[in-house]
Amino acid sequence: MQILQLLLSGIAQGCIYGLIALGFVLIYKATETVSFAQGDLMMLGAFAAFAGMQLFGLPFWLAAALAVAALVAFGVLLELVVIRPILGQPQFSIVMLTIGVGYVVRGLITMVPGIGTETHTLAVPYKDEVWRVGGLVVNAPQAVVIGATAALCLLLYGMFRYSKLGIAMQASSQNQLAAYYMGIPVKRLNGLVWGLAAAVATVAGILLAPITFVHANMGFIGLKAFPAAVVGGFGSLPGAIVGGLVIGVVESFAGFYLPDGFKDTAPYIVVLLMLMIKPNGLFGEKLRKKV
């Protein structure tokens, strides 16, 4: 029963890693850019939901929906104003830019008086509910994280599989130049991908908030979501979720069975092993380049 409890906890945490890793993969597939601002976008989304509930008195579900919509707009604007002008430059420049965006977002939040430097509780309606299934204790926040992640994955699958927008995004991610010549608005799609990645990060932040509270440094969890994207395969959307689950479960068992300190290093040990055994990740594709 202890193993099942640890497994449940690891899966719930892994779902959060997987959602943030989804943002990494979405942006990488669309623009071949690695965005290290995903964790801070998650933090910003959680603060947006908190502000909607505490400052404007909105119910949780409405505040969450408005936070997702606001971050979609923020992601599109971020791509248009900050990212698009530098596309085509060396990858190192773009990576450093996204790191800088994360620091700016975190700094702006901490400058908000009475809010940015404090730790807050997101008053979700299901926070204190606990269910018992046999001898297994299931916290409602963990169950909601798992259920919401599954629902979001099905929604994204349906969008990419059946909608014109999703099919256009897939075509653009495979070959932007060919997609452009076929009449697909590639620049507009890149902005929408950044908005979608910000929306997924916001959902992750809202789901994580009842477990770890809302604070300016909660975005550092993105540093553990990056190994999830690497383990799953940096070009695979299902791989991002699977990689997140692997990292979450490994971290959960390492924190219980191994000495202090191994919990935080376990994700990076898994990444090193994966890079040695299967460098493309679990679901990564082998790419060949002619020279």
Side-chain angles (χ1 to χ4, degrees), residues 156 158-173 189:
L156 289 174
M159 186 192 79
F160 283 110
R161 183 72 173 82
Y162 299 108
S163 73
K164 289 184 179 179
L165 177 62
I167 294 171
M169 285 183 175
Q170 289 187 69
S172 178
S173 69
L189 283 179

Side-chain angles (χ1 to χ4, degrees), residues 86-287:
I86 203 174
L87 287 180
Q89 299 298 319
Q91 289 294 321
F92 177 76
S93 302
I94 302 176
V95 168
M96 292 304 298
L97 180 64
T98 61
I99 293 174
V101 167
Y103 274 101
V104 169
V105 169
R106 203 177 316 131
L108 291 175
I109 286 293
T110 56
M111 289 169 62
V112 179
I115 294 180
T117 57
E118 304 294 331
T119 299
H120 309 280
T121 301
L122 192 65
V124 297
Y126 52 84
K127 180 174 176 55
D128 297 321
E129 294 185 22
V130 177
W131 306 317
R132 293 186 180 274
V133 183
L136 189 66
V137 179
V138 181
N139 295 323
Q142 291 179 335
V144 169
V145 166
I146 297 171
T149 301
L152 184 59
C153 288
L154 288 175
L155 183 64
L156 289 174
Y157 172 79
M159 186 192 79
F160 283 110
R161 183 72 173 82
Y162 299 108
S163 73
K164 289 184 179 179
L165 177 62
I167 294 171
M169 285 183 175
Q170 289 187 69
S172 178
S173 69
Q174 290 176 8
N175 191 319
Q176 288 196 357
L177 186 60
Y180 176 78
Y181 284 136
M182 292 297 293
I184 295 174
V186 174
K187 290 184 178 180
R188 194 182 310 165
L189 283 179
N190 286 346
L192 290 175
V193 166
W194 276 81
L196 182 60
V200 173
T202 301
V203 172
I206 294 172
L207 294 174
L208 181 66
I211 302 173
T212 63
F213 304 106
V214 180
H215 53 91
N217 292 325
M218 68 184 296
F220 284 122
I221 196 175
L223 296 177
K224 291 182 181 177
F226 186 75
V230 175
V231 169
F234 224 91
S236 170
L237 295 177
I241 298 297
V242 174
L245 294 177
V246 170
I247 295 297
V249 170
V250 167
E251 189 180 62
S252 178
F253 279 89
F256 186 81
Y257 288 109
L258 298 180
D260 293 341
F262 276 92
K263 179 180 179 180
D264 293 327
T265 59
Y268 303 100
I269 294 174
V270 172
V271 167
L272 290 175
L273 292 174
M274 179 59 67
L275 290 175
M276 288 189 292
I277 298 170
K278 203 171 189 295
N280 295 310
L282 294 173
F283 295 87
E285 299 176 355
K286 290 185 178 180
L287 299 177

